[in-house]
Amino acid sequence: MAIWRTVVGKIWLTIMGLVAVVICTIGLFLLQYIDITFENSVKVKHLFTVAGAVGFLLTTFFAFFLLTKITQPLREMKEAADQIAQGDYTVRVAIRSLDEIGDLANTFNQMASEIDSLIRILEHERDHLSSVLRSMTDAVISFDAEGGVILTNPQGQNLLEEWNDVGWDDEDGQGKVGRVPEPLLESFRSVIAHGKEMTTKLNVKNEVWSVALTPLASTSGIRGVVAVMRDVTEEHRVDKLRNDFVANVSHEIRTPLSMVQGYSEALLDDIAASPEERRELVQVIYDESLRMGRLVKDLLDLARMEAGHLEMNYERLDMNALLGRVYRKFAAMAKEKGILLVKSEDDETLVLESADRDRLEQVLTNLLDNAIRHTPLGARILLGAKKIASQDGEQLEITVQDEGEGIPPEDLPYIFERFYKADKARKRESSGGTGLGLFIVKTLVEAHRGKIRVQSKPGSGTTFTITLPVSGDTRRQG
């Protein structure tokens, strides 16, 4: 910057002008007397010239002194202010004096320190908010009043990309990237129009989303909307299954109770004329009571599992004896229904070092009862066990394979869930059920640190395979 454009330069030029005017004025009045009065007027003129030169030098020195004391600190503060404007809040100005310039520099440094502290607090809050948004499992998206995306967390960004890939009918252009997606459009417009919070549920691509929209209010009106979306597909499905389960259990209990009540009244009214008819009625009552007993037992087992009170008694177990006992239990039932029940040959190495005999018998009983009820006349059921080697060590594999109608592929992922109705998961179901049997089987197998898997194709039968560790401590908290 040119010196004459600075404050000091202007002062310097002013003083120089005043000195020149004074010297010239005095010279104009005295020059006519110098030639008359003084003998050597040239010396006097030289004196004026020297005085003018000395005045110029003194004012110049004074100007540079002011430049050092005033202009330089001001220029430093200007440069520091420029650095602060560019984002460097750590810059400070050196205090060179204790006058007003020094006070100004000290105040400037305090201001810079306050700005630095405020910016750090804002950055901390921003990072904290960003961390909270990133850690949220819910999708959070902020829109402006025109529907443009302002801010989103990773889950919200993924959701926007997923929804924008769907071919919505976006006649008004709202289905574009960076805009309110089509499923949210109606709710977004309602919040913008009324300025009130809204909670709703959306069904998008076979998924259920719980959406909470909150308006962003300002002095000039609604400036945007914040949408928080949570995937409640699983909760919705479980709730529906729970409702179906309650209805199914009510039906399962009501049916045998009605039959028991009806046949009991028949016996009381002496409707059965012969001992054979009475025996038939009593047999029906007995079968229905067994059916209610199985239902109550499943419900009690479920209650114990939910409460964490599942008791396990681990001991060394010979699987040959267990398979033989279960085989004998179901052999007569299978024969009555014209089903061939086949058991694998005994193997003395089929021994589990730590297992609950009664619980594993319950597992095999449920699987075989399920297989017999769903296997047609003339088919067969295979019950077998063998040792296998795996990465987790030596394991025992138990197989229950039937030749029934099989399970539809869309139902396979859900058959081990506690509230999935048996007559829905397996459409070949003929005698109903609560859907608890396979859930209990899975829970008991996992209590032995084992795994169960199912393979099935419609019309090709179903195979349940259980793998259990041969050795090791399988005890766990029940």
Side-chain angles (χ1 to χ4, degrees):
M1 181 182 295
I3 188 172
W4 55 83
R5 298 181 61 181
T6 64
V7 175
V8 174
K10 293 177 181 178
I11 295 175
W12 175 53
L13 292 177
T14 302
I15 296 175
M16 290 248 338
L18 291 174
V19 172
V21 169
V22 171
I23 293 176
C24 292
T25 301
I26 294 175
L28 290 175
F29 283 101
L30 295 179
L31 281 178
Q32 57 181 337
Y33 297 104
I34 291 174
D35 294 336
I36 298 175
T37 306
F38 294 95
E39 298 179 354
N40 194 352
S41 60
V42 176
K43 292 183 178 180
V44 176
K45 294 177 180 179
H46 288 169
L47 179 62
F48 275 98
T49 303
V50 172
V54 170
F56 173 77
L57 292 176
L58 289 175
T59 55
T60 302
F61 173 77
F62 176 71
F64 279 102
F65 174 77
L66 291 178
L67 181 67
T68 303
K69 294 297 183 180
I70 299 177
T71 306
Q72 187 65 28
L74 293 177
R75 292 182 64 182
E76 290 179 357
M77 280 187 279
K78 177 183 177 299
E79 293 175 355
D82 291 337
Q83 294 181 19
I84 290 177
Q86 294 174 3
D88 184 7
Y89 305 105
T90 61
V91 64
R92 299 293 183 271
V93 177
I95 301 176
R96 303 182 183 276
S97 62
L98 300 178
D99 54 8
E100 291 82 355
I101 300 294
D103 294 339
L104 179 61
N106 184 47
T107 303
F108 181 89
N109 289 339
Q110 292 179 0
M111 179 192 68
S113 178
E114 291 295 331
I115 293 177
D116 186 27
S117 300
L118 180 60
I119 293 299
R120 289 181 182 276
I121 293 174
L122 292 177
E123 289 179 346
H124 176 74
E125 294 297 328
R126 181 198 63 190
D127 295 339
H128 178 70
L129 177 60
S130 178
S131 299
V132 170
L133 287 176
R134 286 197 304 270
S135 63
M136 289 178 64
T137 57
D138 298 344
V140 181
I141 308 174
S142 177
F143 303 99
D144 58 24
E146 288 72 32
V149 177
I150 302 175
L151 178 67
T152 179
N153 63 346
Q155 291 77 9
Q157 183 64 34
N158 295 335
L159 185 62
L160 281 177
E161 294 175 356
E162 180 181 349
W163 285 6
N164 284 326
D165 289 338
V166 180
W168 307 107
D169 183 14
D170 53 346
E171 296 180 357
D172 56 357
Q174 291 290 345
K176 298 179 181 179
V177 177
R179 307 286 295 177
V180 178
E182 178 67 21
L184 280 176
L185 189 54
E186 184 178 352
S187 300
F188 170 80
R189 289 173 175 171
S190 177
V191 173
I192 290 294
H194 301 92
K196 296 181 179 180
E197 296 183 2
M198 175 182 289
T199 301
T200 183
K201 287 188 178 181
L202 301 176
N203 292 275
V204 183
K205 298 174 61 176
N206 298 324
E207 296 177 340
V208 182
W209 292 85
S210 175
V211 182
L213 297 102
T214 304
L216 296 174
S218 65
T219 55
S220 59
I222 304 300
R223 61 184 180 87
V225 174
V226 175
V228 180
M229 291 167 284
R230 175 178 299 176
D231 187 356
V232 294
T233 306
E234 185 66 20
E235 291 86 343
H236 180 76
R237 186 177 62 83
V238 170
D239 186 62
K240 184 177 183 303
L241 292 177
R242 185 181 294 110
N243 294 333
D244 292 343
F245 169 76
V246 172
N248 191 34
V249 169
S250 301
H251 172 74
E252 291 296 322
I253 293 178
R254 184 168 55 250
T255 300
L257 280 177
S258 299
M259 296 187 68
V260 169
Q261 180 180 356
Y263 283 98
S264 300
E265 291 176 353
L267 289 175
L268 291 175
D269 295 339
D270 291 329
I271 294 178
S274 63
E276 290 76 12
E277 292 179 353
R278 285 195 296 271
R279 187 178 298 108
E280 183 178 353
L281 295 178
V282 172
Q283 183 65 43
V284 172
I285 295 174
Y286 176 73
D287 292 339
E288 293 303 321
S289 66
L290 291 179
R291 182 179 174 186
M292 285 192 296
R294 289 193 299 268
L295 175 60
V296 173
K297 183 176 182 300
D298 287 347
L299 293 175
L300 289 176
D301 287 339
L302 176 63
R304 293 192 188 98
M305 293 174 185
E306 292 287 345
H309 297 154
L310 181 62
E311 297 181 358
M312 305 291 290
N313 300 315
Y314 294 98
E315 60 183 357
R316 195 171 187 271
L317 176 61
D318 182 5
M319 284 302 301
N320 294 305
L322 179 60
L323 293 176
R325 183 163 57 253
V326 174
Y327 172 78
R328 290 189 296 272
K329 181 190 301 185
F330 286 93
M333 183 187 302
K335 186 176 181 180
E336 290 178 0
K337 294 190 175 185
I339 299 172
L340 178 62
L341 179 60
V342 181
K343 185 180 77 71
S344 62
E345 297 182 358
D346 291 347
D347 184 352
E348 61 181 9
T349 63
L350 299 180
V351 176
L352 294 177
E353 296 298 331
S354 181
D356 189 312
R357 182 187 307 274
D358 295 335
R359 295 300 182 182
L360 287 183
E361 183 174 349
Q362 182 180 357
V363 167
L364 296 178
T365 298
N366 285 345
L367 291 180
L368 280 175
D369 179 70
N370 188 66
I372 289 177
R373 284 189 287 114
H374 303 302
T375 300
L377 178 68
R380 66 174 183 171
I381 299 174
L382 301 178
L383 174 63
K386 63 179 179 179
K387 274 190 176 182
I388 61 173
S390 67
Q391 296 178 350
D392 299 328
E394 197 173 28
Q395 293 186 330
L396 191 145
E397 183 180 87
I398 305 173
T399 304
V400 178
Q401 180 180 1
D402 64 57
E403 296 178 350
E405 298 178 2
I407 304 174
E410 63 271 17
D411 293 321
L412 281 176
Y414 309 112
I415 62 172
F416 291 114
E417 294 189 7
R418 70 190 72 187
F419 297 124
Y420 207 80
K421 292 169 62 176
D423 57 349
K424 180 180 179 181
R426 304 191 68 172
K427 293 180 173 58
R428 56 186 178 158
E429 183 93 37
S430 60
S431 59
T434 63
L436 289 176
L438 293 179
F439 168 74
I440 295 174
V441 166
K442 180 175 181 290
T443 303
L444 294 178
V445 170
E446 291 178 348
H448 288 79
R449 290 198 308 167
K451 297 179 181 179
I452 183 171
R453 64 182 186 274
V454 58
Q455 294 177 329
S456 181
K457 292 182 180 180
S460 302
T462 304
T463 302
F464 287 92
T465 304
I466 301 172
T467 55
L468 301 172
V470 172
S471 60
D473 184 11
T474 61
R475 289 172 293 181
R476 55 191 293 180
Q477 295 294 331

